[in-house]
Amino acid sequence: MIEEKNNGAFLEQTSAIEVPEQFLEQMKQYEELIMMYRCAIREVQTKLEILNDALSVKYKRNPINFIKSRIKSPGSIVKKLERRGLEVSIDSVEKNLNDVAGIRVVCHFIDDIYDVAEMLARQDDLKVVQIKDYIKNPKPNGYRSYHMIVEIPVFLPKKKKPMRVEVQIRTIAMDFWASLDHQVRYKKDIENTDEILEELRSCAEVIASTDDQMQRIRKKIEKITEERRNIEKITKHS
């Protein structure tokens, strides 16, 4: 709410100092676009929270550990368009960028990732535009995550507009690795970057193996629990 008020104040100030009308119109369009991306994030995040509740009933635990969201900054948007050699404009953002609005979903286990992704894809009012499975096909640097580009309608007072959101689903270990990799790549004052990135590649393999092992252990525990439950039922009715 504070951010929206500040944006409005900025427009009032720019109007007072005779900024060109075209610039003001673009600012208004940009604010409306970002507002719609925020709405799209809320819609998708609400669906994910509901799915987490539904899966918790099925599994007797919450498969999602936490959910975070973000909107790309204006600077990041401009840099990405320029890097791709695309026009820097409001229309270009909508047409060419799928990750302006992003949601990160951190799950406990690998199979939770696929359960959440499958249930999200089955939502009637949501369209899956693209899937990139970096868990089964990791990036060369070791990055693992499940990416979905989804499109969801945002309802405004006078119109309905489909908006795209990037959803990244990963385990806690994958998320920890990705945050460290991001620090190394985007901090320019770190020495021996190549050496550190090579260590991270090795860590990625260890993390993947640990994720697999943790999932196997969990399944063993579930199997033992189910067997005990069945024995108790038989004993009770005998």
Side-chain angles (χ1 to χ4, degrees), residues 62-73:
N62 289 100
I64 296 176
N65 187 46
F66 66 84
I67 301 170
K68 283 188 175 180
S69 63
R70 62 105 183 101
I71 300 283
K72 267 190 183 297
S73 68

Side-chain angles (χ1 to χ4, degrees), residues 37-38 40-42 44-45 48 67-73 97-105 148-150 164-169:
Y37 278 124
R38 286 199 191 102
I41 281 177
R42 283 200 293 269
V44 176
Q45 186 160 337
L48 288 164
I67 301 170
K68 283 188 175 180
S69 63
R70 62 105 183 101
I71 300 283
K72 267 190 183 297
S73 68
L97 300 186
N98 290 327
D99 62 345
V100 175
I103 294 178
R104 191 192 330 157
V105 184
M148 303 173 73
I149 304 296
V150 301
R164 292 189 175 184
V165 178
E166 181 186 53
V167 182
Q168 298 180 358
I169 317 175

Side-chain angles (χ1 to χ4, degrees), residues 3-126:
E3 187 173 345
E4 289 175 4
K5 288 178 182 178
N6 287 340
N7 286 339
F10 175 77
L11 281 174
E12 288 176 11
Q13 291 169 12
T14 52
S15 298
I17 58 176
E18 298 184 0
V19 173
E21 189 66 31
Q22 184 180 359
F23 178 80
L24 288 174
E25 186 58 35
Q26 286 184 352
M27 282 300 300
K28 290 175 184 176
Q29 289 175 6
Y30 177 77
E31 286 187 354
E32 182 178 341
L33 179 64
I34 295 303
M35 178 271 293
M36 288 189 289
Y37 278 124
R38 286 199 191 102
C39 291
I41 281 177
R42 283 200 293 269
E43 291 282 349
V44 176
Q45 186 160 337
T46 298
K47 288 180 179 297
L48 288 164
E49 289 167 353
I50 292 170
L51 289 177
N52 193 38
D53 288 343
L55 288 168
S56 71
V57 173
K58 179 180 179 182
Y59 297 135
K60 308 303 179 186
R61 61 181 179 83
N62 289 100
I64 296 176
N65 187 46
F66 66 84
I67 301 170
K68 283 188 175 180
S69 63
R70 62 105 183 101
I71 300 283
K72 267 190 183 297
S73 68
S76 295
I77 291 171
V78 170
K79 283 181 182 178
K80 190 159 191 176
L81 290 172
E82 290 178 340
R83 197 164 58 243
R84 293 184 177 184
L86 299 168
E87 179 189 2
V88 179
S89 67
I90 302 298
D91 288 340
S92 184
V93 172
E94 287 192 79
K95 290 176 183 176
N96 298 304
L97 300 186
N98 290 327
D99 62 345
V100 175
I103 294 178
R104 191 192 330 157
V105 184
V106 177
C107 297
H108 295 283
F109 299 98
I110 294 172
D111 54 1
D112 292 336
I113 293 172
Y114 291 103
D115 284 341
V116 169
E118 182 184 351
M119 291 183 73
L120 183 62
R122 288 205 303 261
Q123 301 290 301
D124 291 341
D125 59 343
L126 181 143

